[in-house]
Amino acid sequence: MASAALNEQLASLVDSMYQEGLLDEQFQQLQSLQDESNPCFVMEVVTLFCDDAERIFTELDRIMSQPVIEFQQVDSYIHQLKGSSSSVGAQNVKLACVQFRHSLEENDSEGCLRALNMVKREYLHLRGKLETMLQLEQRIQAYDKQKK
Amino acid sequence: MEELKEEEEEELVVVRNDDGDDKVRILVVDDSPLDRKVVDMLLKRSDGLFEVISADSGMKAMQVLGFNEEKSDFPSAKEQKIDIILTDYCMPEMTGYDLLKAVKEHDCPRSIPVVIMSSENDPQRIKRCLAVGAEDFFLKPLKVQDAQKLRQYARLTGPTPKTGTKRKLSVDMMSETESSARRPRLAGVAVA
């Protein structure tokens, strides 16, 4: 597939992600920081975000499965996830984390479980799109490298 | 002493440090690898103004600064010549606030400027940090304008300024006029 068509596909995907609220202007800032000397910057940041998120979900699953839930620990982890999603521009994940923290204030276990599932859903939805985006970027880079 | 003349374009007189370069040596302290990476790139892409040294904890930062008597993998503070510290507030064991206090208590008469960053817009937290001597408090994620402010807050470390060494920075490197923006503090004014 020609580079132009791939670029168009990528632009369309990223545009839809912004429209859907999956990404915000922070992601645009990350894209603007990437250049020829750091062609993998966005991919590296996204990878760090995903690793961080999945580590946090593992910890949260463990805490939430305890007979007595340590809400302070849960809050700490959600605070971390909110921070990293904000840093990467993952808008909907960040908003879901904000909602989660509201549920925590009420120490409501059922509410927290629902909120956690919502955060996971938003994250998995975003991750799928980011994976497609990165695959397209890699194909474009490989194609451009071949042309040179 | 040479008088600064009023010109159409504002002039920032920068005194070169001992190494002869104008780069600001900034110590970035954050326990999040993701945030360190993003801030690192933001600063490095700011017209080459910064040389970034990173630490993943307050304790590591103390080692870099030479405040810790323990053996360190890092060169001493004097070799590192840190011009400014940018630290996250929320870190385990030693918070950014703890680090700020340690820096302010340690260096006299001129302490290294410290800027705090946090994802929480907490007025109490901000007030607390500014009261102890933080130069500013940035909300994460950092923006390009924040990098420009850092440049202004930084002081070039080193001995008494040499004569006849100055250069002009264009006005677009100065931050926009905001309530929290401050005039850069100069190590000295170059004389002819």
Side-chain angles (χ1 to χ4, degrees), chain B residues 1-162:
Chain B
M1 182 174 286
E2 189 178 72
E3 289 178 8
L4 292 173
K5 294 176 185 174
E6 285 184 14
E7 296 177 355
E8 287 178 12
E9 194 174 331
E10 286 196 58
E11 180 176 303
L12 171 65
V13 178
V14 172
V15 177
R16 290 173 186 271
N17 60 21
D18 273 350
D19 297 332
D21 62 41
D22 297 324
K23 284 199 177 187
V24 172
R25 289 187 185 84
I26 181 166
L27 174 60
V28 175
V29 191
D30 200 319
D31 61 317
S32 163
L34 187 154
D35 285 350
R36 282 202 307 278
K37 188 168 189 70
V38 173
V39 169
D40 180 83
M41 185 59 77
L42 181 76
L43 295 176
K44 281 177 177 167
R45 290 294 305 275
S46 298
D47 297 324
L49 294 173
F50 295 97
E51 180 186 331
V52 181
I53 300 115
S54 292
D56 62 4
S57 69
M59 294 309 295
K60 282 267 175 68
M62 296 282 279
Q63 287 176 16
V64 171
L65 294 165
F67 295 173
N68 210 321
E69 287 179 3
E70 287 173 20
K71 255 192 178 177
S72 165
D73 293 334
F74 292 95
S76 70
K78 286 180 185 170
E79 291 171 32
Q80 285 282 355
K81 289 184 187 173
I82 301 295
D83 297 314
I84 186 167
I85 299 165
L86 174 65
T87 178
D88 188 29
Y89 184 93
C90 263
M91 294 187 292
E93 292 176 13
M94 187 177 193
T95 66
Y97 180 73
D98 296 331
L99 178 62
L100 165 64
K101 282 197 299 181
V103 169
K104 294 301 164 187
E105 283 163 15
H106 194 277
D107 273 350
C108 283
R110 234 169 47 167
S111 67
I112 303 168
V114 180
V115 173
I116 306 285
M117 55 180 173
S118 175
S119 55
E120 299 286 323
N121 189 3
D122 182 343
Q124 292 285 357
R125 184 180 288 187
I126 296 169
K127 197 176 169 183
R128 221 170 135 215
C129 291
L130 295 177
V132 174
E135 298 296 316
D136 209 334
F137 191 104
F138 292 162
L139 278 182
K140 283 176 160 181
L142 265 59
K143 301 281 183 279
V144 169
Q145 305 92 293
D146 296 326
Q148 292 170 352
K149 284 187 190 177
L150 286 168
R151 179 68 178 86
Q152 293 182 351
Y153 294 145
R155 304 170 193 191
L156 293 172
T157 57
T160 309
K162 294 191 168 94

Side-chain angles (χ1 to χ4, degrees), chain A residues 19-76:
Chain A
Q19 295 289 327
E20 225 179 304
L22 293 176
L23 299 174
D24 61 25
E25 65 274 5
Q26 173 62 14
F27 193 81
Q28 276 178 348
Q29 172 155 274
L30 297 183
Q31 288 180 306
S32 71
L33 292 175
Q34 180 165 293
D35 61 10
E36 280 176 6
S37 60
N38 298 282
C40 301
F41 173 68
V42 173
M43 183 180 71
E44 288 165 3
V45 169
V46 166
T47 304
L48 281 171
F49 167 67
C50 292
D51 289 347
D52 202 35
E54 283 162 31
R55 172 190 64 86
I56 289 169
F57 287 135
T58 303
E59 290 299 318
L60 285 172
D61 285 341
R62 181 185 60 77
I63 296 168
M64 299 293 282
S65 65
Q66 302 293 317
V68 177
I69 297 172
E70 291 286 341
F71 287 106
Q72 215 168 4
Q73 274 188 8
V74 174
D75 185 60
S76 173

Side-chain angles (χ1 to χ4, degrees), chain A residues 2 23-24 27 44 84 90 93 97 135-136:
Chain A
L23 299 174
D24 61 25
F27 193 81
E44 288 165 3
S84 56
V93 176
C97 289
Q135 279 163 16
L136 278 170

